[in-house]
């Protein structure tokens, strides 16, 4: 048994998932491993295993070849792919982006082809052909042609408008310009004309047009600062650095034009954080990595100009590869509507077949023996029945509503405009309105079960703000005056005394300023000095203003806070740092910079003061700082209490400490430090060990508290959406502590929440899998599934899981073991069968494990997935879609969210200061997360209710209209004769009954928007599909059938043996048709009045206007004048004026309408009185509910020594600029020969580390 289990394990059980790292890159899938492994004989296993261990990595993957300044190179035959027969094109994509579907030539044929793929449209095309056959048709051809042309025309115009917008957007992007080397010099060229191998020049604030290799820039050592907001939503700058050889030789235009380097690299892929390649130039090869690549979509910042070589263009660029497949999204109601249309097809065929059989029987029994019915054709009754079958298909064709689809599109278009026009979703600060980028998904907004949200830039502003601090055991940051008296309302601190203050910090504790300026407590000044000196921020001056560039927003916030409080970081060189201390400028010698990483969770700096003392300053997470404190720290407990308070307020904290170092101690440590710095192997581990030796016996100064500023209204929005029974999952690339902290800040998590982590979940799932294996083996999925909860009922639980644990749990993790298994390729049929069986078991096990994980996660009130890749985000969304069959919505702001946005049923992009990549791929966009509650609870719910009412009424009115023919058949020998005039049939769905139902679908609302937001529980009707389902559909059909029964038989009974007042008999066929038609129009229009919840002048006008329009057109069509002009088309001459002047006819019409509507009124009254819905109750008391209630944030209760969590430490989750600073590469100054030696040594040791 143990052997079998080992063979089923596809992941390495010995390795524990690392919470700090983002798992493997997105493109490293098992499929690739399959492709890379050769199919070999069993005896070759040992040889292949040795080869696998010794071969050079990635060499065989580097098949993408780029030659600089040589376009002909990329047009060689070996780079051409066959597209169609003998037509070939280069495998290198051009840089033009194409998102449109049609051009001038293809629009008409392609659009018509797409429209006729719809079953209803194709059905009506077939009907039109059938109506051209005189032996079959009893209806004129125009009764089908006119509605069909209207439907096709409106849909085509809508598609055309959408595609023109895409053309404009593509044109705008493709026609952006940059400088490209042509004919030996830089010339302005459009983006669409850029090709792989071109050398281009970009300037400050330019968008990068393609994925390029950085060759040189205006900065020292060809550094280039880029903003990656388009990719990941982060606004802090990242730096890239060119190769030293290209920096040295490729600065001038003539040298760039002569550059003939050759690059071999990996094929285009979606790995944003990795790149592998080699540059061959000057008979030397130079390794390339992601730090030398500028990606399309990023923006050049703080760099005057830079030069680059295009490697991937257009569709091959990483940002385009990351966008995932564009999926055609359709709503749940769309699918349901299609099935209902198919149901109506079946009903139509059954009715037609039954009536055709009836006609054949009638012909045999009656028709053949009635001389006055002889038509001159001696056809058999069965043949006449067959012809009548097609005749009834035509007559009853209005059961399948041709105008249904176009009406739905018009309603959706109108609802989209309402979203666009909603001023309460407009963000004035960025002049950004809400935008419905698709018109096909509106009602699905009212059915959402799960929301998957990014964190950075979506829930948060990605703006860090210094809020509070604890110094020497004293907490600062509350609303206090200079005398320590607390005030509820107080002016912010005035920093005008400080010439370097940036004016952006809002701080309300005046007592702290008093302490700094008085100098009574030296620890206070020491605290802010530490913030000003211990960091990797770089400073520059632009237009006389001091600006900071930080590796993370946290560091920038701390240094800016120190600046405002009078301790200003002014400048740094490779080995000095200059600080302005309350106006006094002092320069310190930097002896060592001990950078942050995710394992150390701290950073330190060792400086020599102008007085000659050596001091270490350190800041880091409390969990690592407290382990390294000196035993005698008098404020240790007070600072811990402050940290607990800050944690309860969801602030990000760092502990600050320092240490005096003796000269002798430093010299001994420095020798070890220098030795570790040049270690050829395990350099990072050696350095960390040396750092540990000096970072001990520290003296605690205090702690900082930074607010990772949430967007306005995020907790309120999450609270309301939770009350609407919508579950919110946060999927982020951030580290676990940060994600957890934001969970508490936005109230996804509370102090009462029991948090389960990856290891807890893994144990629970392992136990469940064992139980399932014992019960039914790995094929337990074929046994009827009994759902067992993972947790006892009651209690509030949340799941926090990292990307590494996610791979472990979902059996997505790869290892060498799986590769070795694949080498054992079976030769015999039995071996192949066993291998297939084993693989199938693995697949079943994986599917079972994923099902269990989704079940477990859905039992939690909140789920936070951190350190996940874009592919994992999409995978989590897909798992919930697949196993829960739930409607999902994904919301994000960066390119790393695009895959998730496209995978979910509905994708929402946050637009604003971050990039537009997510917006471009989204279905809806707006500027702030808080607008999501209005999008779902108001627009989504209204759209769902309107669409459901529209569809129920539409099916009802068409059945009421069409089934009159069915009842009439019993009295006309089943001869497929129509009960109405042809023109009435043509215009019924187009004019007489279309406007009221369209306006109800656009304007109706059961309760106001304010009440919709105030009572989120109203939203659940959409989640449970209560307003439109098969039961509701059949009720509508039954209602229509009963209405048609009344419409036919009451006039039929009234017309039997009657006589008009003037002695004329109005009981002819044409008068009968007019009576039924008039009763029908009044009934269906009054019926929609009963269905309308929100009355406006427009609704009332449309109902009475439709009735008036019917009578106006009917009198015109029945006039003698039009009959003279078109005698064959208008044959009801004088019928309306003759029939409708008889009071008896009007009484008949009134009786018919009353019998149709009074039962409905009675049923509605009883249901609203005895079984009122939630919206009925709110409507009834809406006047009392008008007063708005303000949402109250949950109060934090601090209990000493009861804190169950650590606050997130305020650091970037990547290395800072320390390596850059210590090597001197970022410093604008002439280097001395000694500097050059140091820099070369640093460069050499960095290359060693990279390799």
């Amino acid at each position: 048994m143990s052997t079998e289990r080992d063979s089923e394990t596809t992941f390495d059980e010995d390795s524990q998932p690392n919470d700090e790292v983002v798992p493997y890159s997105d493109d490293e899938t098992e499929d690739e491993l399959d492709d890379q492994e050769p199919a070999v004989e069993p005896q070759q296993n040992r040889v292949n295993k040795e080869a696998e261990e010794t071969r050079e990595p990635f060499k065989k993957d580097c098949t993408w070849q780029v030659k600089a300044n040589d376009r002909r190179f990329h047009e060689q035959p070996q780079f051409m792919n066959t597209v169609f027969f003998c037509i070939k094109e280069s495998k290198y994509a051009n840089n033009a982006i194409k998102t449109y579907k049609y051009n001038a030539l293809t629009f008409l044929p392609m659009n018509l082809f797409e429209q006729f793929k719809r079953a209803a449209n194709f059905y009506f095309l077939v009907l039109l052909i059938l109506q051209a056959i005189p032996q079959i048709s009893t209806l004129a051809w125009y009764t089908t042609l006119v509605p069909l042309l209207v439907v096709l025309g409106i849909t085509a115009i809508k598609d055309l408008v959408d595609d023109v917008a895409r053309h404009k957007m593509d044109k705008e992007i493709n026609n952006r310009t940059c400088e490209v080397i042509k004919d030996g010099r830089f010339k302005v060229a459009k983006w669409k004309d850029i090709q792989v191998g071109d050398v281009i020049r970009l300037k400050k604030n330019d968008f990068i047009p393609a994925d390029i290799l950085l060759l040189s820039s205006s900065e020292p050592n060809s550094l280039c600062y880029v903003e990656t907001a388009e990719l990941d939503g982060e606004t802090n700058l990242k730096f890239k650095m060119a190769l030293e050889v290209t920096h040295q030789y490729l600065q001038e235009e003539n040298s760039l034009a002569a550059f003939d380097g050759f690059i071999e690299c990996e094929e285009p892929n979606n790995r944003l954080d990795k790149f592998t390649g080699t540059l061959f130039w000057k008979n030397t090869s130079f390794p390339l990595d992601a730090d030398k690549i500028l990606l399309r979509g990023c923006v050049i910042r703080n760099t005057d100009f830079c030069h680059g070589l295009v490697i991937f263009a257009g569709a091959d660029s990483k940002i385009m590869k990351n966008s995932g497949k564009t999926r055609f999204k359709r709503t749940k109601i769309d699918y349901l509507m299609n099935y209902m249309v198919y149901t109506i097809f079946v009903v139509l065929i059954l009715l037609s077949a039954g009536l055709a059989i009836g006609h054949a029987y009638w012909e045999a029994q009656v028709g053949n023996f009635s001389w006055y019915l002889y038509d001159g054709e001696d056809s058999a009754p069965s043949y006449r029945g067959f012809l009548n079958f097609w005749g009834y298909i035509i007559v009853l064709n209005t059961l399948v509503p041709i105008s249904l689809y176009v009406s739905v599109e018009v309603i959706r278009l109108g609802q989209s405009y309402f979203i666009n026009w909603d001023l309460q979703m407009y963000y004035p600060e960025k002049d950004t309105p809400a935008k419905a980028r698709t018109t096909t998904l509106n009602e699905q907004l009212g059915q959402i079960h799960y929301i998957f949200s990014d964190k950075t830039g979506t829930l948060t502003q990605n703006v860090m703000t210094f809020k509070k601090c604890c110094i020497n055991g004293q907490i600062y940051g509350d609303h206090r005056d200079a005398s320590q008296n607390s005030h509820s309302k107080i002016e912010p601190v005035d920093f005008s005394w400080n010439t370097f203050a940036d004016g952006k910090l809002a701080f309300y504790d005046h007592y702290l300023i008093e302490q700094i300026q008085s100098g009574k407590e030296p620890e206070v000044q020491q605290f802010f000095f530490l913030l000003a000196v211990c960091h990797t921020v770089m400073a520059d001056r632009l237009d006389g203003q001091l600006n900071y560039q930080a590796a993370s927003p946290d560091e920038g916030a701390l240094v800016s806070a120190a600046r405002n409080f009078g301790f200003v970081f002014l400048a740094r060189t490779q080995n000095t740092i200059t600080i302005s201390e309350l106006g006094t400028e002092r320069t310190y010698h930097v002896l060592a910079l001990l950078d942050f990483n995710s394992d150390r969770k701290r950073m330190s700096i060792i400086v020599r003061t102008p007085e000659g003392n050596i001091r270490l300053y350190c800041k880091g997470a409390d969990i690592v700082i407290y382990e390294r404190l000196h035993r005698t720290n008098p404020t240790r407990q007070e600072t811990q209490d402050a940290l607990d308070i800050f944690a309860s307020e969801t602030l990000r904290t760092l502990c600050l400490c320092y240490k005096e170092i003796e000269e002798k101690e430093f010299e001994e440590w420095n020798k070890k430090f220098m030795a570790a710095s040049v270690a050829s192997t395990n350099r990072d581990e050696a350095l960390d060990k040396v750092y540990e030796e000096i970072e001990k016996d520290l003296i605690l100064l205090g702690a900082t508290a930074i607010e990772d500023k949430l967007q306005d209204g995020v907790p309120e929005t999450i609270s309301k959406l939770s009350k609407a029974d919508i579950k919110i999952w946060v999927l982020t690339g951030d580290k676990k502590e940060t994600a957890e902290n934001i969970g508490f800040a936005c109230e996804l998590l509370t102090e009462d929440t029991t948090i389960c982590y990856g290891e807890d979940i893994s144990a629970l799932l392992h136990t469940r899998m064992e139980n399932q294996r014992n019960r039914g083996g790995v094929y337990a999925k074929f046994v009827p599934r009994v759902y067992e909860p993972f947790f006892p009922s009651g209690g509030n639980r949340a799941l926090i899981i990292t990307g590494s644990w996610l791979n472990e749990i979902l059996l997505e993790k790869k290892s060498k073991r799986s590769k070795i298994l694949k080498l054992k390729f079976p030769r015999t049929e039995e071996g192949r069968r066993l291998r297939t069986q084993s693989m199938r078991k693995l697949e079943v096990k994986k599917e079972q494990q994923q099902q269990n994980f989704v079940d477990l996660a859905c039992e939690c009130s909140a789920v936070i997935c951190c350190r996940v890749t874009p592919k994992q985000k999409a995978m989590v969304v897909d798992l919930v879609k697949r196993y829960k069959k739930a409607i999902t919505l994904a919301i994000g702001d960066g390119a790393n969210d695009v895959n998730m946005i496209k995978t979910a049923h509905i994708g929402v992009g946050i637009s604003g200061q971050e990039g537009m990549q997510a917006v471009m791929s989204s279905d809806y966009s707006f500027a702030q997360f808080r607008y999501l509650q209005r999008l779902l609870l108001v627009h989504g719910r209204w759209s769902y209710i309107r669409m459901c009412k529209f569809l129920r009424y539409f099916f009802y009115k068409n059945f009421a209209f069409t089934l009159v023919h069915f009842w009439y058949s019993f009295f006309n020998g089943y001869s497929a004769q129509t009960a109405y005039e042809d023109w009435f049939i043509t215009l019924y769905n187009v004019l007489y009954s279309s406007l009221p139902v369209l306006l109800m679908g656009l304007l109706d609302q059961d309760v106001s928007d304010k009440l919709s937001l105030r009572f989120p529980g109203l939203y659940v009707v959409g989640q449970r599909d209560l307003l439109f389902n098969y039961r509701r559909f059949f009720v509508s059909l039954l209602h229509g059938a009963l209405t048609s029964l009344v419409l036919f038989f009451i006039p039929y009974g009234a017309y039997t043996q009657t006589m008009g007042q003037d002695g004329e008999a109005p009981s002819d066929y044409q008068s009968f048709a007019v009576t039924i038609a008039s009763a029908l129009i009044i009934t269906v229009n009054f019926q929609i009045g009963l269905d309308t919840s929100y009355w406006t002048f427009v609704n009332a006008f449309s109902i009475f206007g439709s009735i008036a329009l019917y009578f106006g057109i009917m009198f015109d069509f029945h006039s003698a004048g039009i009959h003279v002009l078109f005698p064959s088309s208008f044959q009801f001459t004088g019928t309306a004026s003759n029939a409708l002047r008889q009071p008896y006819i009007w009484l008949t019409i009134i009786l018919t309408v009353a019998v149709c509507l009074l039962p409905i009124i009675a049923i509605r009254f009883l249901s609203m009185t005895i079984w009122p819905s939630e919206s009925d109750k709110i409507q009834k008391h809406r006047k009392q509910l008008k007063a708005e209630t303000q949402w109250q944030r949950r109060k934090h209760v601090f209990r000493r020594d009861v804190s169950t969590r650590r606050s997130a430490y305020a650091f970037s989750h990547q290395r800072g600029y320390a390596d850059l600073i210590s090597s001197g590469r970022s410093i604008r100054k002439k280097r001395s020969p000694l500097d050059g030696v140091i820099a070369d040594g640093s460069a050499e040791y960095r290359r060693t580390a990279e390799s």
Side-chain angles (χ1 to χ4, degrees), residues 466 469 493 495 497-498 501 505 507 509 512-513 516-517 528 531 560-568 582:
F466 184 85
C469 59
V493 170
F495 290 107
W497 55 271
N498 178 6
L505 180 64
F507 199 76
D509 195 341
L512 180 57
I513 301 296
I516 291 172
Q517 292 177 334
F528 285 103
L531 292 181
S560 296
R563 166 186 180 170
N564 283 288
F565 285 109
F567 290 80
V568 188
L582 297 175

Side-chain angles (χ1 to χ4, degrees), residues 605-616:
I605 188 170
I606 302 175
V607 297
R608 189 188 297 275
T609 66
E611 294 76 25
N613 300 323
I614 299 176
R615 190 171 284 173
L616 176 143

Side-chain angles (χ1 to χ4, degrees), residues 751-766:
E751 296 297 342
D752 303 325
T753 304
T754 305
I755 298 177
C756 304
Y757 296 100
E759 50 271 31
D760 310 321
I761 300 305
S762 185
L764 279 169
L765 292 174
H766 181 72

Side-chain angles (χ1 to χ4, degrees), residues 43-57:
Q43 62 263 35
Q44 289 292 314
N45 282 348
R46 182 181 57 80
V47 179
N48 279 311
K49 187 176 177 183
E50 291 172 4
E52 184 73 18
E53 290 168 354
T54 56
R55 77 176 177 88
E56 283 189 56

Side-chain angles (χ1 to χ4, degrees), residues 95 234 408 429 669 844 992 1058 1181:
N95 205 42
E234 295 185 8
V408 166
E429 289 182 29
W669 177 84
V844 170
Y992 299 154
T1058 59
H1181 302 103

Side-chain angles (χ1 to χ4, degrees), residues 119-124 338-352 393 397 399-400 405:
N121 288 349
F122 183 72
Y123 164 74
F124 279 99
N338 281 347
Y339 284 123
M340 288 171 181
V341 168
Y342 298 146
T343 305
I344 294 171
F345 273 134
V346 173
V347 171
L348 172 65
I349 290 167
L350 292 176
L351 285 178
S352 300
I393 290 284
N397 75 73
L399 280 178
V400 182
Y405 290 103

